Amino acid sequence: MAAAVGLTSACTPDGEKASPAPLTPKAGGTLNLILRGQLDHLDPTEVYLTSAMNVSRLINRTLVTFKDAPGTEGSEIAPDLATDLGRTPDGGKTWEFTLKKGVAWEDGTPVTCAHVKYGIERRFAAEYKNGPSYPKDYLADTAGYKGPYVGKNNNGKGLTSIECPGGELVRFKLKFPIGDFPYTLTMPVWAPIPPEKDINRKDMDIRPFANGPYKVAQSFDGKGGPLILDRNPHWNPSTDSVRKAYPDKIQLIIRENQDEEVTDELIKDQGEAKNSIALQLDATPNFVQQIVNDPELSKRAVTGAVPGTSYMAINMSKVPDIRCRQALVMAFNKRRFRATIGGSIFGEYATTMIPPDLKAHKKFDVHGVNAYEEGNPEKARALMEQAAKDGKPCAKTLTVNFQDTKKWQRAMATVVESFALIDITLELKPLAARTYYVEAGVQQKQGDLTFASWLPDWSNGSSVIQPNFDGRLIPKDKTQTGNLNFAQLNDPEINKRIDAAMAEPNLDKQYVMWGELDEEIQKRAPIIPVYHPKILRLHGSKVHNAFLHPAWGEADISAMWIG
């Protein structure tokens, strides 16, 4: 990855040129963030996609957050609303945090334990079907609790597993010991919200109440207009060691299906493009060689490996025979698929769900696909013939859900051709990019295949394996949103091993357990791991300190400055 820092020249006393010195960061200016579509949510209770979490961090603070640094340091956490990273008196089943003093909302009122408690309680309300389910999964004594909007919020007691014993202390009681619990608290779903500001719940998704360095000055209008963030005058930088908040204003500008036009504008670096960064849009393949071979353009590129996985989930309820699923794994042409998105500069082939950057990663190739980057249709056909002989023929027509963008349309065309070689017709079912993971998460709408990308919520296998493969998280109501287990894997043995790994207090042992569990899951062929992504995203010449943050898989907004 590359950090794009502006340089200036200097001279030694004898007139010889010295090494360029980095520019000093300065406050002011407007930073333009170019998006491919409107963010799905701003309400912290429902924020889950990476760009929305990156933006949310500017508006809503959490007890802890990720450091503002590239590489492995960015995967580490730092105190945010809390004074430290938490304490556990009983090996991880109880966690306590102390709130910092001097942290205020945008109206100047202080952030309290009651606000933390209420913000988390909202996730239990029937109104919130999106967002991570960690509060429901981890907190104790949640049976029968239905959130703060019914039953006078449990007759005024609220969720009893979150306690405010006095002063600035916040106490969590968990169902089982969780050694890495502070990491989950980086997510917006754990952010505080004052009950008195939660009158019209839809308003929180349009204009969330801020305690971070920025507040919403103008919301998305639903017609392509930008979201504009202005400074929060009550944000106190002395209480915030992470966010730099250099720009006076930040604009989120939507450029749907305009990747090529945006790349061209940033290369030319004229007008507003100088203050802009393609937050979500990779440079299009036709510009890649120009960028990587031009030293000046390369300085204005955010590059690097994203610690995630792009994969094709196979709906096991619709493709129940393992040989049929294995055939799909074997037939998939990874080389052609990757070529459509720009080749190896945008990803390395995958055989695992846990990416190589995580300590929980285990290297394996259970299906032996590394030897066949263009697929192995012969072996795929043999597997299908075996299934047919046993009276369990594989389906000849399958549907696939994917994001409706030019990039993924090109990529899916190669999958159609790959499966045609084993006499399977693939019907394309594109879904709107903005709401893709909401719609794809409704079982009733789910296709036989779902193409998705997963970036871990924090740097451990717990944030990869459990949300994607724990069958107990699949909603019983098939019309409900929020399902991320696109493979519909619900295996009692896998569920039991997930519980064992979650409860392991020794993180080094836990890492090994997650890696072994990943391998065991892949033996069941619930997904086709395709590639571990890389990015190549340009920014203008006035944008500085743009680096790839491992938590978001894109540039860290909180660190950039204009100059």
Side-chain angles (χ1 to χ4, degrees), residues 333-508:
N333 189 322
K334 293 183 182 180
R335 187 197 65 78
R336 292 199 64 199
F337 186 98
R338 189 177 69 172
T340 66
I341 63 170
S344 60
I345 197 166
F346 288 110
E348 298 294 337
Y349 296 136
T351 57
T352 69
M353 186 64 178
I354 298 177
D357 311 73
L358 270 61
K359 291 181 180 179
H361 172 78
K362 180 180 181 182
K363 187 176 181 180
F364 58 81
D365 179 13
V366 296
H367 302 292
V369 294
N370 276 339
Y372 304 96
E373 66 175 25
E374 295 197 8
N376 188 340
E378 292 78 14
K379 186 171 182 179
R381 282 179 177 275
L383 289 163
M384 294 171 69
E385 289 170 3
Q386 290 173 17
K389 286 179 181 179
D390 290 343
K392 298 179 180 180
C394 302
K396 291 295 185 178
T397 300
L398 297 173
T399 61
V400 59
N401 290 341
F402 63 97
Q403 293 187 60
D404 190 10
T405 66
K406 293 177 182 178
K407 173 181 177 179
W408 298 123
Q409 288 166 1
R410 291 193 299 267
M412 287 304 137
T414 71
V415 187
V416 171
E417 293 171 1
S418 295
F419 290 166
L421 296 177
I422 57 172
D423 299 323
I424 290 178
T425 300
L426 191 63
E427 294 183 359
L428 303 181
K429 301 289 185 181
L431 300 174
R434 178 195 164 198
T435 56
Y436 179 71
Y437 286 93
V438 174
E439 290 193 65
V442 179
Q443 296 173 71
Q444 202 174 59
K445 295 183 180 180
Q446 189 176 335
D448 304 313
L449 306 173
T450 302
F451 186 75
S453 295
W454 183 262
L455 186 68
D457 297 328
W458 58 89
S459 297
N460 193 0
S462 56
S463 68
V464 179
I465 299 300
Q466 190 202 29
N468 288 284
F469 301 112
D470 189 333
R472 295 160 298 186
L473 301 182
I474 300 173
K476 291 182 175 60
D477 180 357
K478 293 189 176 183
T479 65
Q480 183 177 328
T481 62
N483 178 50
L484 296 170
N485 187 341
F486 298 128
Q488 301 288 317
L489 174 65
N490 189 5
D491 187 305
E493 180 188 347
I494 297 300
N495 295 343
K496 183 178 179 180
R497 290 181 62 172
I498 287 173
D499 289 343
M502 292 292 297
E504 174 54 57
N506 184 310
L507 285 181
D508 288 329

Side-chain angles (χ1 to χ4, degrees), residues 163-214:
E163 298 178 347
C164 297
E168 284 75 41
L169 189 64
V170 184
R171 180 181 296 132
F172 297 96
K173 294 183 177 180
L174 310 182
K175 293 177 182 176
F176 43 79
I178 301 178
D180 60 0
F181 180 68
Y183 280 82
T184 189
L185 297 180
T186 61
M187 307 195 73
V189 71
W190 301 92
I193 291 177
E196 62 272 18
K197 298 297 180 181
D198 192 29
I199 306 302
N200 186 338
R201 291 182 284 283
K202 291 183 179 179
D203 287 348
M204 196 66 70
D205 215 20
I206 298 170
R207 190 186 181 283
F209 198 56
N211 56 22
Y214 295 94

Side-chain angles (χ1 to χ4, degrees), residues 40-344:
D40 61 334
H41 290 290
L42 286 174
D43 185 331
T45 299
E46 296 196 281
V47 166
Y48 200 7
L49 301 186
T50 51
S51 292
M53 288 197 286
N54 196 357
V55 172
S56 181
R57 188 159 83 143
L58 304 175
I59 304 168
N60 295 104
R61 299 173 65 178
T62 46
L63 290 171
V64 297
T65 191
F66 290 104
K67 293 182 179 179
D68 60 325
T72 55
E73 186 181 354
S75 297
E76 299 173 0
I77 56 176
D80 191 1
L81 291 174
T83 57
D84 57 26
L85 298 180
R87 297 139 340 250
T88 175
D90 55 6
K93 199 168 182 181
T94 303
W95 284 88
E96 295 180 345
F97 297 83
T98 302
L99 291 174
K100 293 175 182 174
K101 295 181 179 180
V103 181
W105 293 99
E106 62 178 83
D107 63 357
T109 57
V111 175
T112 68
C113 176
H115 298 162
V116 175
K117 179 178 168 74
Y118 181 82
I120 300 165
E121 288 171 342
R122 293 171 90 238
R123 185 60 183 89
F124 291 80
E127 288 86 344
Y128 300 106
K129 298 179 174 64
N130 301 305
S133 61
Y134 295 118
K136 294 182 175 182
D137 304 334
Y138 291 176
L139 292 173
D141 304 323
T142 60
Y145 181 68
K146 297 182 179 180
Y149 310 134
V150 296
K152 297 181 180 179
N153 196 8
N154 194 18
N155 292 318
K157 293 181 290 186
L159 192 57
T160 57
S161 50
I162 306 175
E163 298 178 347
C164 297
E168 284 75 41
L169 189 64
V170 184
R171 180 181 296 132
F172 297 96
K173 294 183 177 180
L174 310 182
K175 293 177 182 176
F176 43 79
I178 301 178
D180 60 0
F181 180 68
Y183 280 82
T184 189
L185 297 180
T186 61
M187 307 195 73
V189 71
W190 301 92
I193 291 177
E196 62 272 18
K197 298 297 180 181
D198 192 29
I199 306 302
N200 186 338
R201 291 182 284 283
K202 291 183 179 179
D203 287 348
M204 196 66 70
D205 215 20
I206 298 170
R207 190 186 181 283
F209 198 56
N211 56 22
Y214 295 94
K215 61 181 182 178
V216 175
Q218 176 180 304
S219 304
F220 288 121
D221 59 11
K223 301 176 182 179
L227 173 76
I228 300 175
L229 303 179
D230 281 343
R231 291 192 180 278
N232 172 9
H234 293 284
W235 172 70
N236 186 349
S238 68
T239 68
D240 194 336
S241 63
V242 176
R243 301 161 186 82
K244 301 302 185 287
Y246 291 122
D248 287 334
K249 181 182 293 184
I250 298 176
Q251 296 189 120
L252 283 71
I253 300 170
I254 299 170
R255 299 289 298 276
E256 187 173 1
N257 276 325
Q258 297 181 52
D259 299 38
E260 187 167 340
E261 294 88 339
V262 169
T263 305
D264 183 53
E265 290 167 13
L266 291 171
I267 286 174
K268 292 176 179 175
D269 196 37
Q270 301 294 317
E272 285 298 303
K274 293 183 177 182
N275 287 27
S276 303
I277 180 168
L279 190 71
Q280 298 177 325
L281 285 63
D282 283 307
T284 48
N286 54 315
F287 288 111
V288 167
Q289 290 305 313
Q290 178 184 356
I291 294 167
V292 298
N293 293 320
D294 186 324
E296 293 304 314
L297 285 177
S298 295
K299 290 178 184 177
R300 295 198 284 111
V302 179
T303 63
V306 174
T309 305
S310 291
Y311 65 98
M312 184 75 79
I314 306 171
N315 189 329
M316 295 176 67
S317 68
K318 297 184 178 182
V319 189
D321 193 282
I322 188 171
R323 292 163 296 189
C324 298
R325 299 195 300 272
Q326 289 171 332
L328 297 175
V329 175
M330 295 306 305
F332 199 99
N333 189 322
K334 293 183 182 180
R335 187 197 65 78
R336 292 199 64 199
F337 186 98
R338 189 177 69 172
T340 66
I341 63 170
S344 60

